[in-house]
Amino acid sequence: MRICVAGAYGAFGIKHLDALAAIDEVTVTSVMGPTKTKIEALAAERGIGHAATRLEECIARDDVDAVILATPTQLHAEQAIACMKAGKPVLIEIPMADSLEDSEEIVRVQKETGVLAMAGQVRRFNPSHQWIQNKVATGELKIQQMDVQTYFFRRSNMNAKGEPRSWTDHLLWHHACHTVDLFQYQTGEVVSDCYGLEGPHHPDLGIAMDMSIGMKTPSGAICTLSLSFNNDGPLGTFFRYICDNGTYLARYDDLYDGNENQIDLSDVAVSNNGIELIDREFIAAIQEGREPNGSVAQTLDAMRTLDRIEKCF
C-alpha cells in the first residue's frame, strides 16, 4: 500500500508518518504541505520520494494508492472529494468538516463514487475505549453516564507542536467531535436530546474559549462534556465511564477502574497507539474491500448532533 500524507509536517501529519512506519508493507510515497522548503526538507529527512505543495499533483500519481488528510479543517471537504473523484481512498483527520452541509456532501460523493472514505475518529481505536466497547458488546457493561473533560491552555493560534496555525481550532467542531461520536458509538444510539452553552469569545481568535455540552440517548444514557481553552493544568481529554457494573477512567490509551487501579490492555490490540490503530483499520479496509469502522457514513450522525448543539448558541 502506497500512501500520500497531506499536511505532513503538521503535528498530526507527523503522528501519521510515525504510525505508518510501524505498519508492514506500507510505504509513504508522497507528502504534501503548503511551504515548499518545509515539505521538501521533510521528504528528504524521511526518505520519501515525492513532495509537493498541491494535493492535485499527489493524487494524480500512479504510486499513490490512498491518501491521509492531516490538513486544515476548512480544506477537508474539498480535498476529500477530490481524492474520491480521483479514485483514491481517503482518511480525513478529525473533523471531516466543520459544518453539517460539507459533511453531508462528503458522504454523498462517497456513495456516488463508491471510493472508501473514513473519518479520523481515533477514540474508537484507542485501546482504553476499545476495552469498554468490547465489554458493552458482550453485555458485561451498560453505560449509564459519560463525564468528559477536554482541557487546553491557549492564548494564541498555535498547534500541538507549538508552531503557528494557518487556521483556527474550534471546541465544538474539532474537540467535541471526538466525544459526540464516541458517546453514540459506545452506547449504540443516536443522541435524542442535546444542548450546548458557550462562554465568551476570544477577542483575537474569535472562538469560544469555554463550552458545556449535555447529551442523552433514547434509552436514557447521558453525557456531560466540559471543554476549555482556559485550563491552566493537565491538558488533554479525560473520560469517566459510569456503568451498571463498574466505573472506568480512560486517559488516551490507558484505562483505570474507579479506584485508580490500572487495567491491563495488552491483549486489546496490536498496538497501544490509537493513530497507528486507525491507520491499520484504514489500510485493512482498503485491502479487504469493506467499509471501515469510522466511515464517513457511520460518523455522519455525530456531525448532525454537533449541528444541533451549535444551534443552541
Side-chain angles (χ1 to χ4, degrees), residues 230-298:
N230 281 319
N231 181 66
D232 188 5
L235 308 180
T237 302
F238 313 103
F239 300 80
R240 179 182 293 270
Y241 287 95
I242 300 173
C243 306
D244 60 342
N245 192 25
T247 293
Y248 300 93
L249 307 172
R251 302 183 180 109
Y252 289 96
D253 297 314
D254 296 320
L255 185 67
Y256 304 82
D257 67 19
N259 294 304
E260 293 287 349
N261 298 304
Q262 189 162 11
I263 294 171
D264 182 10
L265 302 175
S266 59
D267 61 346
V268 172
V270 298
S271 169
N272 66 353
N273 181 337
I275 299 293
E276 179 185 333
L277 294 174
I278 198 171
D279 288 352
R280 285 183 178 274
E281 171 65 6
F282 176 55
I283 292 159
I286 297 169
Q287 293 172 330
E288 296 164 15
R290 61 171 173 82
E291 183 180 11
N293 179 9
S295 69
V296 293
Q298 291 174 6

Side-chain angles (χ1 to χ4, degrees), residues 80-88 106-117:
I81 288 167
C83 289
M84 289 184 282
K85 288 186 174 180
K88 309 290 186 180
I106 290 170
V107 173
R108 187 194 69 76
V109 173
Q110 191 284 317
K111 291 179 179 177
E112 178 185 88
T113 62
V115 177
L116 184 149

Side-chain angles (χ1 to χ4, degrees), residues 90-272:
V90 59
L91 168 58
I92 313 160
E93 250 304 338
I94 193 170
M96 67 165 134
D98 55 5
S99 74
L100 177 58
E101 180 182 11
D102 282 348
S103 301
E104 289 177 333
E105 182 62 10
I106 290 170
V107 173
R108 187 194 69 76
V109 173
Q110 191 284 317
K111 291 179 179 177
E112 178 185 88
T113 62
V115 177
L116 184 149
M118 182 177 177
Q121 298 288 359
V122 71
R123 295 291 173 262
R124 293 181 177 221
F125 298 90
N126 292 116
S128 52
H129 301 300
Q130 279 202 53
W131 188 93
I132 296 289
Q133 174 63 206
N134 293 341
K135 297 292 185 182
V136 169
T138 59
E140 296 174 69
L141 290 178
K142 180 176 174 59
I143 295 170
Q144 297 170 319
Q145 181 176 179
M146 285 174 61
D147 184 82
V148 186
Q149 298 174 329
T150 295
Y151 291 156
F152 301 95
F153 188 76
R154 182 160 298 163
R155 290 293 181 271
S156 58
N157 204 15
M158 308 292 281
N159 68 15
K161 293 169 62 181
E163 298 174 347
R165 265 202 178 102
S166 62
W167 55 286
T168 303
D169 203 356
H170 199 282
L171 286 176
L172 179 68
W173 286 100
H174 183 178
H175 297 290
C177 188
H178 282 291
T179 299
V180 170
D181 179 72
L182 184 66
F183 179 55
Q184 295 185 149
Y185 177 65
Q186 297 289 49
T187 60
E189 297 182 273
V190 176
V191 164
S192 53
D193 298 292
C194 58
Y195 73 84
L197 303 170
E198 63 175 10
H201 284 216
H202 190 278
D204 299 320
L205 298 177
I207 54 173
M209 300 295 282
D210 291 279
M211 194 171 291
S212 176
I213 291 171
M215 296 176 282
K216 183 179 180 180
T217 67
S219 70
I222 63 174
C223 177
T224 302
L225 171 59
S226 171
L227 306 104
S228 181
F229 284 144
N230 281 319
N231 181 66
D232 188 5
L235 308 180
T237 302
F238 313 103
F239 300 80
R240 179 182 293 270
Y241 287 95
I242 300 173
C243 306
D244 60 342
N245 192 25
T247 293
Y248 300 93
L249 307 172
R251 302 183 180 109
Y252 289 96
D253 297 314
D254 296 320
L255 185 67
Y256 304 82
D257 67 19
N259 294 304
E260 293 287 349
N261 298 304
Q262 189 162 11
I263 294 171
D264 182 10
L265 302 175
S266 59
D267 61 346
V268 172
V270 298
S271 169
N272 66 353

Side-chain angles (χ1 to χ4, degrees), residues 98-99 170 172-173 196 305-313:
D98 55 5
S99 74
H170 199 282
L172 179 68
W173 286 100
T305 299
L306 290 171
D307 183 67
R308 291 168 61 197
I309 294 167
E310 185 174 57
K311 287 179 168 60
C312 296
F313 300 151

